[in-house]
């Protein structure tokens, strides 16, 4: 892959490492001459990215009214800004670059010491690319950051203002960077777009209702960054073992050397139905997916364990427990990373694969062209797109998306201990109504149910009176959904009431609160309310799905 | 094994097969002379047994006031019984024996055509042993049947009365049978006995709180029948493959030929916490277990897959899907049977074993001496005791305990389609409070959490205000609980409130509704209420565990 390159003006970074605020203030007295040079940044190196729009705020509740203060200064004499906070020259700010050990950034005319934030940043250390200068041009691209919630986090780290000598029209001059999303593919207008850059767009309820296998162009898109431009001929996958041995495979190698397999699997984002949790519990931080961050495809490719064997990893021994490997790490071409437990990777019933084909076509660019890990039954965040490296390791991936973002907590845990929490891997059971209408006075409902770990859906219960009484939906068969060793896909269901929907009289609207809950073969069922599983991050919002259906609105 | 033998007087069975009620009534006109001979019945053949006290009543709700009518007749002239129902001579009733195709039984002076009931009988066809005669002597032993609920089921099949010519003091003379439970072992008085014959007794809350590994004598007992008397020297295990090939193993063979393994695993009855469902939802049919139908031991034995390989089953091929075998069936020495899916049996991470040792001692008789299947993470009903036969098969065991009893249904499914429902295998997540008290005004709680399929418990949430707010319990470590490839055991937890328990004043009692709910590594959590998972059979009662704690009662 050719990493996209962007030109940006950037100051030379000085080597001084200043950690204490006292020293920092002393620096502010100096006026260092500005030197600049053009800087070439590769794609991953400017990957200033968040896993979703959201960051778990340590005890800080969402404040939608909070706005950034962009008040400008036209003249140094009129520096009316808070006189209790120090002023810093840009030349000194530049010393607090990404390798300084005490990184600072500016936003507008304000200065922030983000040293303590870096470890908690969901996008990882890529934030350091902005250190020593302004964060504004990055946020103009990664607009996902432009929320009151993130402004509030940053505000906690404010240490002062840019010196008025360095301001033009009240703002420091800011370098420009090219838009890394300019080469993103076109997407279907039928997707419901939540953020454009990076693209996060869900499958519509109509398309969920109408397809057991989701057509490629209607498959939900969940990107953490831009879509890398990769030429298949130049692409190689690298596999690294515990001892550092590496083996490289071209796409042709993968096709030629290994037995092809075909598996139907549903992928679902950990944040699917997050908006439901927000609506029924309280505010959550993250992309506000409705019920469409889930889709199903038939994937073709090769078995991960076959590739590992070829690369020299003793799979049979490891499967018996004779290995020091505990995790298989996946790295994407754009900077994303994640890992799965060794058991998930090697289990002969697990169907973990490296896919090059999706519903009979080469992987679309949005879905990982030319190669994507597919980890059936697990959160889609482990099915790493644009897969360029597989690392056999004794530990989990160090990526933020493994160690921070894709975890969940108790309703009270607003200051969670991230290291203590378990990474989301296999998904819990969920279900949703994707179509509800009244036809000939009968209630018609359609939807999906899905459980992780290959656990088959054995029953879907439907209520038309908010859970007081229940009936069972018909589970729809589709043999295309049964490719693979376990039940890796959603089960679509349909329900038609045997009774007539009540109508009070011709003037009144008769409304019903319809509810769906599913049960899987381990007889796990869904929690009744989002309140009890509330987590500030809004992950795994799998409570009963409730929907108000009005006969006069729909009938 | 020597099957216990019981002598009983029994009439000769006539060969006539009468299926229609018309024919049956015609028979009632005859007076056949009674012939009798002593009959030797082997253990399994009189195994007139229920899986628990309960039977799923087809739409019939429990009526605790219903009592059997034992009104007697002292003289044929005074036959004041319902004149619209026919009378039958005992000689005709005897024709409706177990092999007649139209089995009848009597209870007291009433006659029942149980032909349509046999298929639904949770104890299976063993009910046919009583056919042609009185069911009373069996129920005097299997007292588990003496409930209004079962009387009510039987009453649906009543076709008439025993002819008054065959009554002495208003009742037919009944044969006697010996007590098959007379050789059952002694049990600890610390167990909470629910039924004595068969023995069903749960571990006390004190013993649950005090032990991470349950001592053998305190391990809950769930027997469907009596405990067979087996001499280890004479014992053989038989393994049968798909093609009918069988291999036999003595206990010495098992010890000598296979690598020993040691696994810590929790066993839990599908009915654990059933009483909680009864209390919080509605009446359930089955043994009213509280929180103690669960215990944990360290099991030693050999890997099932090693034995299957030795017996000639191509395990490696089968693990890749190249087999027509779908299930591994287990048969116990007393008549019990069950099966597990082939995947559970072969999965290298599954730890399915044949155990001869429990917590360092030979298996106690109550727990399967000399050999028991241990299927970690699955309902204990699949860990078949007194294991005498393993059958590789394309289908599930035909035993009632596989096809009928251990299944679950929707709250509304009072006439369930048993064949459509999925056999309980892996267990859903549950938790319970086993100790709750107020000490120095602090709330102290202890308990367990457990999930099936080897899914580790990652969090236990506790509420002292009925679920309004939550806190996390400390999860207790014990390295003895981690023997094996996955998390097969419960996680014990402890909680101490940081706040003082409210006391209104010295006269008042301050009570709190404490609640526990757990989350496993697939982030499955427990349903909030038993109402939503209610099933008439009362299986898998895994809702949040609620307990009222009063400071003045306990403090």
């Amino acid at each position: 892959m050719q990493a996209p390159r962007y030109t940006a003006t950037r100051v030379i970074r000085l080597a001084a490492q200043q950690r204490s605020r006292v020293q920092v203030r002393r620096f502010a007295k100096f006026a260092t001459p500005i030197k600049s040079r053009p800087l070439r940044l590769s794609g991953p190196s400017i990957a200033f990215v968040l896993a979703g729009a959201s960051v778990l705020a340590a005890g800080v509740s969402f404040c939608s009214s909070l706005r950034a203060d962009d008040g400008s200064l036209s003249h140094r004499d009129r520096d009316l800004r808070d006189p209790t906070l120090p002023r810093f020259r840009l030349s000194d700010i530049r010393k607090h670059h990404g390798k300084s050990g005490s990184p600072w950034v500016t936003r507008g005319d304000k200065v922030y010491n983000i040293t303590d934030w870096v470890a908690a940043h969901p996008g990882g250390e890529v934030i350091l690319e902005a250190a020593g200068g302004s964060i504004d041009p990055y946020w103009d691209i990664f607009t996902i950051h432009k929320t009151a919630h993130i402004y509030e986090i940053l505000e906690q780290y404010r240490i002062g203002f840019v010196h008025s000598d360095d301001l033009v029209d009240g703002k420091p001059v800011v370098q420009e960077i090219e838009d890394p999303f300019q080469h993103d593919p076109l997407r279907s207008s039928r997707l419901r777009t939540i953020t454009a850059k990076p693209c996060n767009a869900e499958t519509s309820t109509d398309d969920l209702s109408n397809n057991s296998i989701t057509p490629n162009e209607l498959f939900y898109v969940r990107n953490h960054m831009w879509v890398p431009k990769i030429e298949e001929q130049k692409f190689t996958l690298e596999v690294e073992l515990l001892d550092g041995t590496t083996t490289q495979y071209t796409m042709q190698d993968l096709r030629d050397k290994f037995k092809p397999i075909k598996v139907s699997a549903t992928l679902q984002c950990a944040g699917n139905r997050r908006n439901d949790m927000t609506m029924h519990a309280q505010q959550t931080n993250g992309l506000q997916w409705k019920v469409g961050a889930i889709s199903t495809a038939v994937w073709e490719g090769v078995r991960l364990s076959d590739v590992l064997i070829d690369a020299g990893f003793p799979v049979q021994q490891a499967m018996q427990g004779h290995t020091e490997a505990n995790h298989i790490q996946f790295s994407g071409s754009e900077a994303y990373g994640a890992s799965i437990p060794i058991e998930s990777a090697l289990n002969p019933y697990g169907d973990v694969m490296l896919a090059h084909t999706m519903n009979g076509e080469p992987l679309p660019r949005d879905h990982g062209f030319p190669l994507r890990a597919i980890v059936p039954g697990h959160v889609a965040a482990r099915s790493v797109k644009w897969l360029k490296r597989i690392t056999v390791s004794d530990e989990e991936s160090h990526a933020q998306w493994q160690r921070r973002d894709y975890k969940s907590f108790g309703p009270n845990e607003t200051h969670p201990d991230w290291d203590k929490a378990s990474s989301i891997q296999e998904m819990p059971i969920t279900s949703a109504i994707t179509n509800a209408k009244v036809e000939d006075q009968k209630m018609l409902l359609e939807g999906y149910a899905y459980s992780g770990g290959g656990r088959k859906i054995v029953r879907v219960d439907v209520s038309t009176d908010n859970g007081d009484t229940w009936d069972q939906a018909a589970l729809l068969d589709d043999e295309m959904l049964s490719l693979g060793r376990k039940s890796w896909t959603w089960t679509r269901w349909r329900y038609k009431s045997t009774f007539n929907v009540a109508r009070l009289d011709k003037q009144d609207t008769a409304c019903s609160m319809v509810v769906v809950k599913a049960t899987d073969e381990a007889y796990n069922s869904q929690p009744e309310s989002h309140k009890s599983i509330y987590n500030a991050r809004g992950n795994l919002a799998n409570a009963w799905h409730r929907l108000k259906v009005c006969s006069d609105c729909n009938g």
Side-chain angles (χ1 to χ4, degrees), chain A:
Chain A
M1 166 215 171
Q2 280 287 73
R5 289 171 170 182
Y6 312 103
T7 307
T9 59
R10 209 72 185 287
V11 297
I12 292 173
R13 291 163 173 169
L14 299 177
Q17 294 204 350
Q18 305 301 333
R19 288 179 188 277
S20 81
R21 192 153 163 174
V22 176
Q23 287 174 295
V24 163
R25 287 190 179 160
R26 220 181 302 130
F27 263 93
K29 295 174 191 161
F30 306 144
T32 317
I34 298 172
K35 294 177 185 168
S36 71
R37 64 171 176 85
L39 188 66
R40 301 195 99 181
L41 297 177
S42 72
S45 70
I46 68 155
F48 188 87
V49 180
L50 282 186
S54 54
V55 177
L56 188 69
V60 183
S61 64
F62 194 94
C63 172
S64 60
S65 63
L66 184 72
R67 297 188 53 198
D69 175 8
D70 282 334
S72 61
L73 290 169
S74 60
H75 196 275
R76 74 189 64 169
D77 293 344
R78 292 173 56 207
D79 189 344
L80 304 175
R81 300 170 299 176
D82 182 351
T84 66
L85 285 177
R87 273 58 178 160
F88 300 100
R89 299 305 302 253
L90 286 180
S91 52
D92 292 316
I93 291 167
R94 281 174 204 120
K95 295 171 187 165
H96 294 273
H97 53 73
K99 292 178 178 169
S100 67
S102 61
W104 295 5
V105 295
T106 64
R107 189 171 79 87
D109 67 335
K110 302 185 190 67
V111 182
Y112 303 89
N113 178 348
I114 58 167
T115 310
D116 293 340
W117 171 241
V118 175
H121 180 231
E125 295 203 347
V126 287
I127 194 176
L128 294 176
E129 290 302 323
S134 172
I135 206 155
D136 291 311
Y138 295 92
W139 285 13
D140 284 343
I141 293 166
F142 299 96
T143 53
I144 214 165
H145 293 80
K146 292 188 170 185
T147 70
H149 173 65
I150 292 175
Y151 296 153
E152 200 172 79
I153 291 174
L154 188 60
E155 209 52 36
Q156 299 174 68
Y157 299 99
R158 190 158 95 183
I159 53 172
F161 293 97
V162 176
H163 196 283
S164 54
D165 285 356
D166 288 334
L167 299 178
V168 177
D169 289 337
K171 291 181 178 177
V173 176
V174 165
Q175 74 276 26
E176 282 182 9
I177 58 177
E178 273 185 34
D179 180 358
F181 294 100
Q182 62 183 312
H183 303 296
D184 264 23
L186 289 177
R187 281 108 188 180
S188 167
S189 60
R190 295 175 67 110
L191 293 170
R192 177 182 161 260
T193 300
I194 302 179
T195 63
K197 297 176 181 183
C199 178
N200 286 295
E202 67 179 281
T203 307
S204 73
T205 49
D206 275 357
D207 291 325
L208 289 168
S209 297
N210 293 335
N211 300 289
S212 57
I213 300 291
T214 318
N216 288 356
E217 69 278 13
L218 304 179
F219 203 101
Y220 83 101
V221 177
R222 201 282 176 252
N223 290 344
H224 293 83
M225 303 174 217
W226 55 89
V227 176
K229 279 183 80 175
I230 303 177
E231 287 178 60
E232 183 167 338
Q233 282 68 26
K234 295 184 182 170
F235 174 85
T236 54
L237 169 74
E238 190 167 74
V239 179
E240 180 180 342
L241 305 187
L242 275 176
D243 63 2
T245 314
T246 61
T247 310
Q248 292 189 328
Y249 298 93
T250 63
M251 288 303 295
Q252 201 58 46
D253 291 338
L254 293 177
R255 288 176 201 274
D256 292 347
K257 296 185 79 162
F258 304 103
K259 190 183 153 202
I261 62 166
K262 194 186 275 198
V263 172
S264 46
T266 293
L267 294 185
Q268 181 184 218
C269 177
N272 191 32
R273 300 186 56 214
R274 179 181 284 129
N275 184 248
D276 213 25
M277 183 178 274
T278 301
M279 304 288 280
H280 291 99
Q282 52 175 305
Q283 183 63 44
T284 56
N285 301 319
L287 296 166
Q288 294 298 305
W289 300 105
K290 294 186 176 178
V291 301
I294 184 170
S295 298
T296 299
V298 175
W299 310 92
E300 290 175 69
V302 301
R303 215 172 267 286
L304 170 61
S305 55
D306 289 347
V307 177
L308 290 175
I309 289 169
D310 185 82
F313 184 67
V315 165
Q316 282 298 327
Q317 268 176 263
M319 221 159 47
Q320 304 305 325
H322 309 305
T323 180
E324 297 191 359
N326 297 315
H327 300 271
I328 300 292
Q329 302 179 353
F330 299 121
S331 305
S333 299
E334 87 292 32
Y336 185 85
S339 63
I340 58 172
I342 189 83
E343 183 206 324
S344 300
L346 304 187
N347 194 318
Y349 295 93
D351 282 333
V352 177
M353 66 190 290
L354 312 180
H356 47 63
T357 299
M358 180 178 177
N359 294 331
E361 293 170 12
L363 278 176
R365 289 186 60 222
D366 255 336
H367 299 292
F369 180 84
L371 194 67
R372 178 177 195 173
I374 292 291
V375 188
H378 289 54
V379 62
R382 311 302 169 216
S383 288
V384 175
K385 301 178 187 180
W386 312 296
L387 182 67
K388 72 165 183 187
R389 189 180 181 82
I390 297 170
T391 312
V392 179
S393 177
D394 57 348
E395 56 179 2
E396 281 192 298
S397 164
H398 279 268
Q400 288 291 324
W401 303 280
Q402 190 69 31
R403 303 248 173 162
R404 289 288 177 275
D405 204 36
Y406 289 100
K407 296 191 172 185
S408 189
F409 301 94
N412 54 301
E413 295 185 279
T414 46
H415 291 72
D417 181 346
W418 288 95
D419 292 331
K420 210 175 131 195
S422 187
S423 302
I424 298 170
Q425 294 284 358
E426 286 186 4
M427 296 289 265
I429 186 167
T430 193
S431 63
I433 302 160
T434 58
N435 186 22
K437 61 184 174 185
V438 177
E439 216 171 75
D440 298 333
Q441 292 191 56
K442 297 287 191 287
M443 182 77 75
L444 290 176
L445 302 173
E446 291 179 308
Y448 63 78
Y450 172 70
S451 188
R455 289 180 282 282
K456 189 177 172 182
I457 297 297
V458 297
R459 208 178 71 230
V460 171
D461 297 332
V462 170
S463 171
T464 54
D465 56 8
N466 200 21
D468 271 357
T469 62
W470 297 93
D471 200 356
Q472 280 67 48
L475 308 185
L476 309 184
D477 278 338
D478 186 328
E479 62 182 24
M480 285 301 283
L481 295 181
S482 59
L483 301 169
R485 313 256 354 238
K486 294 178 83 173
S487 296
W488 301 125
T489 70
W490 58 24
T491 295
R492 291 166 66 245
W493 56 266
R494 193 171 289 151
Y495 177 74
K496 184 176 183 179
S497 67
T498 50
F499 55 86
N500 283 357
V501 174
R503 257 185 139 83
L504 299 178
D505 66 44
K506 286 186 179 173
Q507 264 58 51
D508 279 350
T509 302
C511 293
S512 307
M513 183 62 87
V514 298
V515 191
V516 64
K517 68 179 174 80
T519 301
D520 69 21
E521 64 184 332
Y523 281 96
N524 274 305
S525 61
Q526 300 173 236
E528 191 165 328
S529 75
H530 284 295
K531 185 170 173 278
S532 69
I533 52 163
Y534 174 77
N535 61 96
R537 192 62 189 77
N539 279 331
L540 305 173
N542 72 328
W544 299 357
H545 191 214
R546 289 181 163 84
L547 206 65
K548 199 171 179 181
V549 180
C550 304
S551 62
D552 289 323
C553 317
N554 296 278

